[in-house]
Amino acid sequence: MSTDTSDPEEMSLDELRREIEDIDQEIVELIARRTYVADTVAQVKAKRDLPTTDESQEARVMERAGENAEQFDVDVNLVKAIFRLLIELNKAEQRESR
């Protein structure tokens, strides 16, 4: 196997890896945006003396996550696990900030 970087297959692999790097950055940017909005929600809840946890809202988020996973043909369990983690991290931050 050649390690020549001018090999089209290797260039294609490098391009694909760059694409994954770009996607990874976009994912982190989206997580940052979501976290910022969740922090704003937490501030509103604190001002209105609302509870940190809203189980019906969490259920709606999880349902939406599952529907989006199905729409994009992504493993539903994986997507729901990611969203569960995001929700739990947001709730932990909300509890700490109160």
Side-chain angles (χ1 to χ4, degrees), residues 61-71 74 76 79-80 83:
V61 169
M62 296 304 288
E63 185 177 333
R64 241 186 356 257
E67 290 169 358
N68 287 332
E70 289 174 358
Q71 177 183 351
V74 179
V76 172
V79 171
K80 285 187 173 186
F83 274 84

Side-chain angles (χ1 to χ4, degrees), residues 12-54:
S12 176
L13 183 58
D14 288 341
E15 288 170 3
L16 291 168
R17 286 179 175 156
R18 279 192 296 277
E19 181 71 13
I20 287 175
E21 288 176 21
D22 291 344
I23 293 167
D24 289 349
Q25 181 175 353
E26 290 176 34
I27 290 170
V28 173
E29 288 174 12
L30 290 171
I31 291 170
R33 277 181 53 198
R34 189 183 196 287
T35 300
Y36 173 79
V37 174
D39 289 345
T40 305
V41 167
Q43 291 171 14
V44 171
K45 284 180 178 180
K47 284 181 185 175
R48 296 181 183 174
D49 200 29
L50 296 171
T52 301
T53 300
D54 181 344

